[in-house]
Amino acid sequence: MKTIDLFKALSNETRLNILQWLKEPHKHFDKPSAHLSKNLSEKGGVCVGDIQEKANLSQSTISQYLSMMQKADLLESERHGKWTYYRRNEETIATLADYIGKDL
């Protein structure tokens, strides 16, 4: 676990919001086109454009945020055609929660 990268990624309110939104994507992204069809991927995901729209930030800022979160292993991405879909990396989040609970 890259602890410093994780805590840097979590030190921004919008990035925390993105993680919360992706925890329950159907609750936070109501457009059917926002979601990766389960037929294409069992893991699902939300389109980067819809994350950008919900966050109300520029495409470059959201791309930077998503890249940082992916580098910290908090997010996974899957590309389908010209669209990239993001989802939480639940394994990393569980490891982080365990670390905080036991070691901090």
Side-chain angles (χ1 to χ4, degrees), residues 11-103:
S11 68
N12 174 282
E13 185 176 3
T14 300
R15 291 190 295 262
L16 286 172
N17 286 339
I18 291 169
L19 278 179
Q20 290 171 334
W21 299 335
L22 293 177
K23 184 175 183 177
E24 299 178 287
H26 287 88
K27 178 179 173 183
H28 296 284
F29 300 94
D30 57 1
K31 292 191 314 187
S33 62
H35 303 278
L36 181 60
S37 167
K38 290 290 188 175
N39 295 332
L40 294 174
S41 171
E42 288 299 315
K43 296 179 181 180
V46 175
C47 181
V48 65
D50 292 291
I51 296 170
Q52 175 196 351
E53 185 179 309
K54 184 158 181 76
N56 198 28
L57 294 171
S58 71
Q59 188 273 332
S60 61
T61 299
I62 289 299
S63 291
Q64 185 180 31
Y65 285 0
L66 295 172
S67 177
M68 178 183 219
M69 294 167 74
Q70 194 168 16
K71 180 183 173 196
D73 214 20
L74 290 166
L75 296 179
E76 300 173 328
S77 67
E78 193 167 329
R79 191 160 181 86
H80 287 274
K82 61 181 181 175
W83 308 112
T84 303
Y85 294 82
Y86 286 86
R87 64 183 162 265
R88 291 164 39 118
N89 183 337
E90 296 298 341
E91 185 177 322
T92 297
I93 292 169
T95 301
L96 177 60
D98 187 55
Y99 171 76
I100 290 170
K102 289 181 181 177
D103 298 327

